């Protein structure tokens, strides 16, 4: 096939990870209390999940609540927990219909029993869906993830199942929350801030980072397309030189011609 102007399939991220930020500011801009921003943020989640399915993105990981978000005023934390529970119960049939497999990462034992049960029910009910894997990071922290992996490894060494020398990056990776999924190709943070805020620290090592001023409740399919277009322009080198990467791409182009 002759070269076309269509970007190669590899130019689309397989795994997209998003820090959904700016709900509070969205509400404040409208002289509304913060909860209005969070409620609107849930609508944006629905919109973006569907847009990702349409674009063939295989995995979408969303940062919903960080391990540091407990520091917010109790009323806001309570509201967010209620919103999680309501949304999860309300969305389950839509998830099924759209063949979304939902999964949670983070320390869920801190949640109320009702929320833990809803999480478990949603994961079980959607386990065999194949359109997209939606990972919700809730009470998640990148440092927590690394620490729990280290703890598991230490336990295994103590039990004589592993020697310290056998601890490699691969072994470490296997004990992290996203061990069975490819690392994110593209990271998006909405709401202007340019920081990771303890999201996927280990897994973002070679992820392309994209920051936008758009506030999460306003984020839509066109914004997603802009981020994907920026991603398609990046050259991922993984430590190699640009020339090396171009050579491999040339060979691959030749093969598919
Ligand atoms: C992100 O929006 C949602 C959560 C962290 C739960 P924020 O609530 O952080 O919104 P801003 O940053 O205050 O605008
Ligand atoms: C990051 O947003 C966490 C989530 C979006 C869930 P924050 O709004 O909590 O991050 P900081 O505090 O501005 O770094
Ligand atoms: Mg914020």
């Amino acid at each position: 096939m002759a070269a076309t102007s269509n970007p190669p399939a590899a130019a689309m991220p397989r795994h997209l990870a998003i820090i959904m930020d700016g709900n509070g500011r969205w509400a404040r801009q409208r002289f509304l209390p913060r909860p209005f921003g969070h409620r609107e943020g849930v609508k944006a989640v629905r919109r973006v999940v569907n847009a990702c399915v349409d674009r063939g993105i295989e995995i979408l990981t969303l940062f919903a609540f960080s391990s540091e978000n407990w520091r917010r005023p109790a009323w806001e934390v309570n509201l967010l927990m209620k919103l999680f529970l309501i949304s999860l119960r309300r969305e389950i049939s839509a998830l099924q219909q759209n063949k979304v497999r939902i999964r949670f990462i983070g320390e869920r034992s801190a949640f109320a029993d009702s929320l833990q049960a809803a999480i478990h029910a949603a994961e079980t009910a959607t386990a065999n869906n194949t359109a997209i894997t939606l990972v919700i990071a809730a009470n998640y922290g990148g440092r927590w993830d690394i620490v729990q992996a280290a703890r598991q490894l230490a336990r295994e060494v103590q039990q004589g199942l592993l020697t310290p020398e056998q601890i490699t990056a691969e072994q470490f990776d296997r004990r992290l929350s996203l061990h069975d999924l490819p690392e994110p190709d593209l990271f998006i943070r909405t709401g202007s801030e340019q920081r990771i805020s303890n999201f996927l620290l280990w897994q973002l090592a070679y992820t392309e980072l994209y920051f936008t001023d758009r506030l999460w409740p306003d984020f839509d399919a066109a914004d997603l397309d802009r981020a994907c277009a920026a991603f398609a322009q990046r050259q991922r080198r993984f430590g190699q030189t640009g020339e090396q990467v171009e050579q491999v791409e040339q060979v691959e182009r030749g093969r598919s011609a």
Side-chain angles (χ1 to χ4, degrees), residues 19-28 34 38 63-66 69 72 76 80 84 189 191 193 195 215-217:
I19 296 188
M20 312 181 287
D21 198 18
N23 293 354
R25 280 162 286 166
W26 184 93
R28 202 172 56 197
R34 295 176 61 85
H38 294 313
F63 205 6
F65 191 86
S66 78
N69 286 145
R72 294 191 177 197
E76 182 168 344
L80 285 167
F84 286 150
R189 182 174 185 142
E193 314 301 346
R195 54 178 173 256
L215 302 173
W216 176 249

Side-chain angles (χ1 to χ4, degrees), residues 28-145:
R28 202 172 56 197
Q29 281 178 357
R30 287 160 180 77
F31 305 101
L32 293 167
R34 295 176 61 85
F36 283 82
H38 294 313
R39 253 173 249 150
E40 207 60 28
V42 175
K43 291 186 198 163
V45 170
R46 204 178 300 142
R47 194 162 62 223
V48 170
V49 171
N50 292 335
C52 286
V53 172
D54 290 345
R55 282 154 186 76
I57 291 170
E58 292 171 43
I59 305 148
L60 173 65
T61 299
L62 299 176
F63 205 6
F65 191 86
S66 78
S67 24
E68 288 71 35
N69 286 145
W70 297 107
R71 294 181 185 162
R72 294 191 177 197
W75 67 264
E76 182 168 344
V77 170
N78 290 337
L79 175 117
L80 285 167
M81 294 299 147
K82 257 191 221 145
L83 200 57
F84 286 150
L85 187 60
I86 292 168
S87 313
L88 205 52
R89 286 180 177 161
R90 194 190 292 148
E91 295 297 322
I92 188 88
S93 58
L95 294 176
Q96 286 292 41
Q97 221 161 34
N98 299 327
K99 303 209 163 37
V100 177
R101 173 170 79 140
I102 196 169
R103 195 171 132 175
F104 286 77
I105 57 170
E107 181 57 276
R108 64 180 76 178
S109 62
F111 296 139
D113 290 345
S114 52
L115 183 53
Q116 287 188 53
I119 287 174
H120 181 72
E123 285 181 329
T124 316
T126 65
N128 295 320
N129 290 344
T130 51
I132 194 170
T133 297
L134 173 63
V135 182
I136 305 289
N139 193 20
Y140 179 86
R143 288 178 180 171
W144 165 83
D145 206 1

Side-chain angles (χ1 to χ4, degrees), residues 180-217:
D180 55 337
L181 298 174
E183 285 169 8
D185 302 293
L186 174 62
F187 158 100
I188 299 174
R189 182 174 185 142
T190 61
S192 316
E193 314 301 346
Q194 303 200 359
R195 54 178 173 256
I196 305 289
S197 298
N198 200 17
F199 195 25
L200 305 160
L201 297 178
W202 174 281
Q203 297 85 348
L204 292 178
Y206 274 102
T207 304
E208 296 298 327
L209 307 180
Y210 180 89
F211 298 94
T212 166
D213 290 340
R214 186 79 77 208
L215 302 173
W216 176 249

